[in-house]
Amino acid sequence: AKMENHTRISEFILVGFKSHPGSQLLLSVLFSTMYIVTVAGNVCMILIIRMDSNLHTPMYFFLGNLSTLDICYSSVITPRAALAFLLGRRSISYNGCASQMFFFSLFGTTEAFFLAAMAYDRFTAICNPLLYQVIMSRRLCVLMVMGSYLSGCINCAIQTGFTFTLSFCGRREINHFFCDVAAVIHASCSDTLVNELVMLAVCGSIIVGTALVVFISYGYIIITIIQMPSAESRHKALSTCSSHMTTICLFFGTVFFMYAQPGAASSPNKSNTISIFYTVVIPMLNPFIYTLRNREVKGSLKKQLKRKGV
């Protein structure tokens, strides 16, 4: 009976960052603070966009959706990790692990597609300004958001489905602070070659595909900006893109390093630290990047505060 039973373990133990016992409280405080800032920052962003009719444009429609996504993305991982560091309870049930992987893959993939959609939006605004209103219709924006989520659903179903058909015997430890695909594959006692190939093929094609849309869009944007006659128009065009460019570099840089290279599953310690970056830090930074680098948002924020009499 024992042999047949070995594939169904009831829980995993997440051992990421366990090697620093003294820093557990610090990690817990750090994660909790970052999570509170992430939620507060992104909720503010959503409210500013909702309240100011001047911001009811495609660019801010995507930004509002990105903020909602970042709250969800961060909520899948950060509170649980903060609690685990604080209480030392590192076990996660088999189903809990599967659902965490499912939602993490869903929101992570959707974010990549969102950033591609936002790049296309900036490309249209700068390279086809006269047709911008026609091309970026409300309908297209809603379809792009729905398409991004649908792509996320397909990817997370593939990743989670493939990973949880593996056998896990005895080795219940996952060298990570959440149920990341590569880390869970690494904990299996099955032959994981097919899984690693699927992960590389699917994640790789998503990352490369969305990154291509981004790079091609920005290639055209930069050429168009260089050809603009006045310094003022160049500056204005650049300022609408700079915050998005910052987010893209952060997101694709870290994700590419994590998933789009062979052997991604084999260096867990390095990947633990990098994944803090795109799971916890980037969702926290996004609202600040967009607020601090953006005249319209800053203007709107001042206007809202004046109206409230602050």
Side-chain angles (χ1 to χ4, degrees):
K2 236 186 174 147
M3 279 310 288
E4 289 151 28
N5 210 8
H6 76 262
T7 54
R8 287 294 300 170
I9 54 172
S10 58
E11 59 175 28
F12 294 102
I13 293 154
L14 297 164
V15 294
F17 298 116
K18 202 164 188 177
S19 50
H20 321 286
S23 59
Q24 297 303 305
L25 181 64
L26 180 68
L27 278 170
S28 180
V29 171
L30 187 68
F31 270 57
S32 306
T33 310
M34 283 171 149
Y35 182 63
I36 292 162
V37 174
T38 302
V39 174
N42 283 295
V43 166
C44 284
M45 198 76 191
I46 295 163
L47 290 176
I48 291 168
I49 293 167
R50 279 270 163 86
M51 289 164 140
D52 189 343
S53 55
N54 294 333
L55 301 183
H56 292 177
T57 62
M59 177 173 154
Y60 291 103
F61 173 72
F62 288 124
L63 253 183
N65 276 289
L66 182 71
S67 288
T68 310
L69 186 70
D70 279 337
I71 293 171
C72 298
Y73 189 44
S74 192
S75 298
V76 174
I77 290 159
T78 318
R80 191 183 174 108
L83 220 65
F85 294 138
L86 184 65
L87 305 173
R89 281 217 311 265
R90 290 168 167 270
S91 60
I92 183 168
S93 71
Y94 185 87
N95 293 340
C97 188
S99 59
Q100 191 182 48
M101 182 186 291
F102 182 89
F103 286 110
F104 166 70
S105 301
L106 166 64
F107 298 132
T109 310
T110 306
E111 178 130 358
F113 279 95
F114 266 13
L115 292 174
M118 288 165 82
Y120 178 74
D121 168 69
R122 292 297 81 211
F123 158 74
T124 313
I126 288 168
C127 303
N128 284 325
L130 300 174
L131 291 172
Y132 180 63
Q133 299 295 342
V134 183
I135 298 171
M136 295 306 290
S137 63
R138 180 81 187 172
R139 185 165 167 264
L140 180 69
C141 294
V142 172
L143 283 174
M144 280 176 146
V145 168
M146 285 164 64
S148 299
Y149 274 106
L150 183 65
S151 310
C153 279
I154 294 166
N155 181 40
C156 68
I158 293 170
Q159 299 297 345
T160 313
F162 263 89
T163 304
F164 283 89
T165 50
L166 293 170
S167 304
F168 299 93
C169 32
R171 283 189 64 189
R172 300 185 309 160
E173 293 198 342
I174 294 172
N175 193 344
H176 217 309
F177 60 94
F178 68 99
C179 286
D180 180 50
V181 182
V184 177
I185 289 175
H186 205 59
S188 165
C189 56
S190 313
D191 178 17
T192 59
L193 180 66
V194 173
N195 291 70
E196 290 188 43
L197 290 174
V198 167
M199 185 178 97
L200 191 65
V202 179
C203 291
S205 58
I206 288 168
I207 295 162
V208 170
T210 49
L212 268 178
V213 171
V214 168
F215 290 137
I216 292 168
S217 298
Y218 272 101
Y220 278 110
I221 286 169
I222 289 163
I223 291 165
T224 308
I225 289 175
I226 290 168
Q227 291 169 347
M228 283 176 178
S230 72
E232 194 188 336
S233 55
R234 280 198 294 271
H235 180 73
K236 195 180 169 199
L238 261 177
S239 73
T240 67
C241 296
S242 59
S243 46
H244 185 234
M245 278 172 138
T246 311
T247 310
I248 280 167
C249 294
L250 287 172
F251 182 83
F252 282 106
T254 48
V255 171
F256 202 83
F257 194 85
M258 281 291 297
Y259 295 103
Q261 52 167 348
S266 58
S267 52
N269 290 331
K270 187 171 61 177
S271 65
N272 268 342
T273 314
I274 295 160
S275 52
I276 286 189
F277 212 77
Y278 65 87
T279 54
V280 187
V281 179
I282 293 175
M284 178 183 76
L285 289 180
N286 277 349
F288 294 102
I289 292 170
Y290 284 106
T291 325
L292 300 174
R293 303 294 297 268
N294 194 310
R295 281 206 304 263
E296 286 170 344
V297 175
K298 277 192 281 197
S300 174
L301 192 57
K302 280 184 193 136
K303 206 164 69 188
Q304 308 283 355
L305 292 174
K306 251 190 207 138
R307 197 178 295 162
K308 300 274 185 295
V310 177

